[in-house]
Each structure stands twice: as C-alpha cells, then as structure tokens.
Amino acid sequence: MDGAFAQAFKLILGLDAEFLGIVGLSLWVTLSAVAISAAIGLPLGALLAVCRFPGRGALIVSVNALMGLPPVVAGLLVYLALSRAGPAGFLGILFTPAAMIVAQTILVLPIVIALTRQVAEDMWAEYGDHLASLGQTGRAAISTLLYDGRLALAVTLLAGFGRAAAEVGAVMIVGGNIAGYTRTMTTAIALETSKGDLALALGLGIVLLALTLSINMIVFGATRLWHHQLR
Amino acid sequence: MRDRPSILPLAAYGLRFEMAGIRLIDGVDLAVGSGECVALLGPNGSGKTLTLRLLHGLDVPTSGTVRWATGSDKVAGRKRHAMVFQKPVMLRRTAIANVRHALDAAGFPRAEITERAAAALARFGLQDLAARPARVLSGGEQHRLAIARAAALEPDILFMDEPTAALDPSATRQIEAMFAELKRVGIALVFSTHDIGQARRVADRVAIFGKGRIVEEGPAEEILAAPQTGEARAFIAGDLPW
C-alpha cells in the first residue's frame, strides 16, 4: 500500500503529461456524458412525471430497469452501431472519445430519467393544483418542478456521475484503451492490474477516488448554498 | 374601484360532478356578484371543496355550466380568478419568490414582477417574511402568504378552501383582517368554512351544503339567524344530522 500511495503522489505531483492526459480524458468523457444526460434526462423525466398516456407504466418500468444495464452490454451495442457495417458506422467515431461519451450517456441517461421522474412526480402531487390554478402548464410547469427539485436532482446527477466514473466495460469496448487517446483511469487501472503493476493501478485508483470525492464535495457545497431557501 | 371589465357576476347552473359513478355534486346553482363575500358552510364531504374546484376550473363538471359575465374567465389574456387551497402550496423558495413565481406563471409582464411581489407582501404587512424560506413559515404565515400571493394576481374573485381551519384564534383574526382588505379593494370572496361565527363576521351571503347540494342559501344574517330547512337548522345548531 505504501508503494501505491507513493506512486499516487508521484503521479499527481510529478504532473506527468501522460497521467494528466488520462485524468483529463476521464473527466471529459464522464462529465460530457452527465451533461448530455442532464440536458435530455431532466426534462424528459419531469415530462414523464406529469403526462398520462397508454403504456406509461411499461415505459417507467423499462427506464427503471435500464438503470441496471450492464456497461459491457451498452458498450457492445454502441460498438455494433458504430462499427463500419453498423447503422452509425458512417460517423467513423468508433475508438474515439466521442464513442465513449455515447456509451456512457446510454448508461447515465436512464438513471437521470428514472430518478428525475420519481422526484418530479412526488412534487407534482403537491404542486399540481397550484400550478393548474395559475394556468402554468407544459414547459413552464416542468421548469418549476426542475427548479424546485434542484436539491434532489443534484444528487440524481451525482448518481449518474458515479455510474459513469466507475464503469470500465463500455469505454473499454468502444474506446479500445488506446494509450494517449482513449485510455481513461478505469481502463488504465484494468490494464496495469493485468500487467502486474499493482502500485500504479492502486495509485490511479486513489486518484480516481479523490476526484470523485472532490466532485461530490463541490455539489454538496452548492446544495448547502441552496438549502436555506428550500424545505 | 377597478378600471377594467369584471368577469363577475359569476353564475353556475346545475353543476353535477360524478367520480367512479358516485355523484359528489348534485345540482349546485350559485351566483356571485362583484365584490360579494360568500361563505360555503356544511359538514365534511358535503361538496364545498369540490364546488370551489369546479368554479375555479380545476375540475370539469359532469354536467352544468360555470358562466362568467364576460363570457370568459380571462381579461387581456390573464385569468381573473384565483384560489387558495386548504393546505397552501408553498414552493421550495423564499416567500417573495413564491409571489414572483405566481405572477410570472399568471402572465404578468416580467418588468413589473419584482415591484408587484414586494407590494403584495407589504400590502398585508408580510414584508418581513420576504426573504424567509416559505416552507419553514408557521401555518398561519403560510396561509397569509398564500392569500397575499393569490391577491397579487389581481383577481376579480378569490376562492378559498377552509382558509382558517387549522389556525388558532389570533391567526384566524389576521386572516379575517386580510378578508377585510380584499373586500375593501372590491375582490369578491367565496370561501368554505366550518366556523359559523366566521361566516357571520365576514360573509354577505351563505350557502349551506349537504350531500352535494345547497340546502339553503341567502343573506348571512337571515340564514344564520333563522334557517328555514331542517338540515340547515341542524348544522347551525351544531347537531350532526349527516
């Protein structure tokens, strides 16, 4: 363990270009996937909370089930879609960071939609009459729900971030773990472990945990700031 | 008092409302004129809340009509009636942000919202609550904020469901003082209550509900002093006939 910590500190303090590249790419891919999922999933989840239509129950169950989609399966599906012969092969983005963002978005989006739907539906039960009384419907009502649910929704996005930051299967398959191009912290850890460089793998693991902790601290700080006007 | 056409008088004819085959409202007729204050009395489940919801348009009657004098409940694109619920809905925001949200949702021009919201609180002496989170206010303060928020929308008529049901006498007095201010500026009030004393103190007219219909209706003084029907007599005497 001592070796691992020493290695981790050496990596961080040494500002090794390759290491920084791996950290930067990991953050870029994961945060992009979370941002895209938020932009799509927050409004969609709230819409699902307030709309009633045939098949709604089945859709909710499906989205909830997709929260458990195995990353390797998501990776495989994106791989098939993006490979030369696949329906999106013309994009030519297989084994690029873009493909990794696509795969992680598929993993994060169901979490954001499902948890947002639950948060928004609970709030709708309380707010529905008031908003109807004010004549607020559609997009405006959804933005009221999202704004007032921001505390719970921040945690929803953290759950999505956690899912993306922790996974290795999907980015490995669609990114290919190419050194200096599509190698992320998780794929590097998997590789170094298999090569027997446990100290480097542990060092990277410590850095990954520290980054996850930092992001959670930032979000916690932000929600504290909002907290005084909520409840 | 007002420089624009009023949507009042409001006239509801033969309102019926059924849910799952059960008739909850069974032929309610009610008219409310400009600036009038009408109390809906009656036991729980007699149809007071549902009647308010039907008049406010939150529920659609199975049959019957709600008619506004101008043919629409809107003037210049804005709905001219508002409602305060028995359990006021407080958004997860500050008190004044709650008022601002309502003004924005109701379609007031953006540029006027900040000023109007501040004025709405000040009008009822609530300016000290402005920056407080609405959901940690006391029950009485939440009710007053909800009424101030609804009044900010400049309605011709305000529907209130049991505005003082859960409040102590001092909070009830403050709410009734708000009623007086609302009446002074010419806003018609229709509210449900179990408090016969309150109906006597503030209402011009009362309608006594029983089993989804109005069993007796008329000037507050007359009805409360000398109810004609057995059901109304029993309710006012505090018997439990239902």
Side-chain angles (χ1 to χ4, degrees):
Chain A
M1 276 303 271
D2 282 353
F5 280 111
Q7 183 75 262
F9 277 113
K10 223 168 77 189
L11 281 172
I12 297 165
L13 298 175
L15 294 177
D16 175 61
E18 189 186 346
F19 165 75
L20 287 181
I22 291 176
V23 173
L25 179 70
S26 295
L27 280 177
W28 165 246
V29 169
T30 301
L31 291 176
S32 300
V34 172
I36 293 169
S37 300
I40 301 170
L42 292 174
L44 222 53
L47 189 67
L48 193 53
V50 302
C51 287
R52 296 292 176 272
F53 52 87
R56 176 176 179 269
L59 185 59
I60 289 172
V61 171
S62 309
V63 172
N64 288 355
L66 281 174
M67 289 196 288
L69 180 69
V72 284
V73 175
L76 176 62
L77 294 175
V78 174
Y79 182 92
L80 291 173
L82 295 180
S83 61
R84 284 274 168 244
F90 65 92
L91 293 172
I93 59 168
L94 191 59
F95 303 127
T96 68
M100 296 154 78
I101 292 171
V102 171
Q104 291 211 327
T105 300
I106 289 173
L107 293 173
V108 175
L109 191 56
I111 293 183
V112 176
I113 295 177
L115 299 184
T116 300
R117 199 271 312 160
Q118 189 62 54
V119 168
E121 194 163 321
D122 292 345
M123 285 178 47
W124 184 245
E126 186 191 346
Y127 283 17
D129 274 344
H130 177 58
L131 299 187
S133 169
L134 294 171
Q136 194 175 53
T137 55
R139 192 180 297 192
I142 282 173
S143 57
T144 297
L145 292 179
L146 292 180
Y147 182 76
D148 276 39
R150 60 200 181 280
L151 210 98
L153 295 175
V155 180
T156 293
L157 294 184
L158 280 181
F161 172 79
R163 163 93 150 158
E167 78 86 23
V168 56
V171 286
M172 182 78 92
I173 292 175
V174 304
N177 195 21
I178 303 165
Y181 185 46
T182 58
R183 181 161 297 170
T184 65
M185 307 192 71
T186 55
T187 58
I189 290 169
L191 179 69
E192 297 307 331
T193 304
S194 66
K195 278 162 56 181
D197 192 346
L198 298 183
L200 179 57
L202 264 174
L204 282 164
I206 290 164
V207 174
L208 181 56
L209 279 175
L211 276 175
T212 302
L213 186 64
S214 313
I215 288 194
N216 274 272
M217 280 164 60
I218 292 168
V219 173
F220 183 77
T223 54
R224 279 280 110 167
L225 284 179
W226 294 332
H227 195 79
H228 73 279
Q229 31 174 294
L230 304 172
R231 290 291 146 222
Chain B
M1 190 76 57
R2 347 208 93 216
D3 51 359
R4 55 179 168 79
S6 167
I7 59 168
L8 299 176
L10 152 72
Y13 303 103
L15 292 183
R16 286 191 171 75
F17 186 79
E18 289 174 9
M19 206 146 85
I22 300 167
R23 186 163 287 183
L24 299 171
I25 297 290
D26 188 16
V28 164
D29 298 320
L30 190 69
V32 184
S34 244
E36 248 192 324
C37 180
V38 182
L40 312 185
L41 289 165
N44 287 327
S46 59
K48 306 184 298 292
T49 298
L50 247 176
T51 299
L52 290 170
R53 292 178 62 91
L54 292 172
L55 295 175
H56 188 47
L58 289 177
D59 291 313
V60 179
T62 310
S63 66
T65 52
V66 174
R67 198 163 294 157
W68 305 95
T70 44
S72 153
D73 64 351
K74 290 184 174 169
V75 176
R78 277 210 314 274
K79 192 166 158 182
R80 301 297 172 155
H81 51 113
M83 182 156 173
V84 176
F85 298 95
Q86 179 170 5
K87 188 177 179 310
V89 179
M90 293 287 122
L91 304 189
R92 291 159 173 77
R93 309 171 186 216
T94 59
I96 196 155
N98 264 271
V99 183
R100 281 202 301 263
H101 173 271
L103 288 164
D104 184 43
F108 280 82
R110 289 271 154 96
E112 299 174 13
I113 285 177
T114 304
E115 201 177 318
R116 280 178 180 274
L121 293 184
R123 176 178 180 186
F124 297 106
L126 299 173
Q127 61 276 14
D128 293 344
L129 303 181
R132 301 259 307 275
R135 294 166 78 87
V136 302
L137 298 176
S138 73
E141 287 168 338
Q142 290 193 358
H143 270 90
R144 285 157 67 202
L145 174 59
I147 294 172
R149 182 176 63 185
L153 306 176
E154 297 191 329
D156 291 334
I157 180 167
L158 183 53
F159 301 105
M160 289 180 280
D161 191 12
E162 312 256 5
T164 59
L167 303 181
D168 66 19
S170 122
T172 300
R173 249 195 315 279
Q174 288 172 319
I175 300 273
E176 288 182 10
M178 294 179 86
F179 279 29
E181 165 67 10
L182 295 169
K183 286 164 80 170
R184 191 186 65 76
V185 297
I187 298 178
L189 305 175
V190 180
F191 66 101
S192 64
T193 181
H194 291 287
D195 183 345
I196 293 163
Q198 179 172 66
R200 195 173 280 127
R201 285 191 296 277
V202 300
D204 306 316
R205 270 193 312 133
V206 298
I208 299 177
F209 278 69
K211 293 179 189 158
R213 20 172 78 239
I214 294 176
V215 296
E216 199 164 335
E217 193 217 330
E221 275 173 45
E222 271 176 43
I223 302 272
L224 295 174
Q228 299 300 304
T229 62
E231 283 162 302
R233 257 200 305 278
F235 178 78
I236 289 164
D239 293 345
L240 298 170
W242 285 279

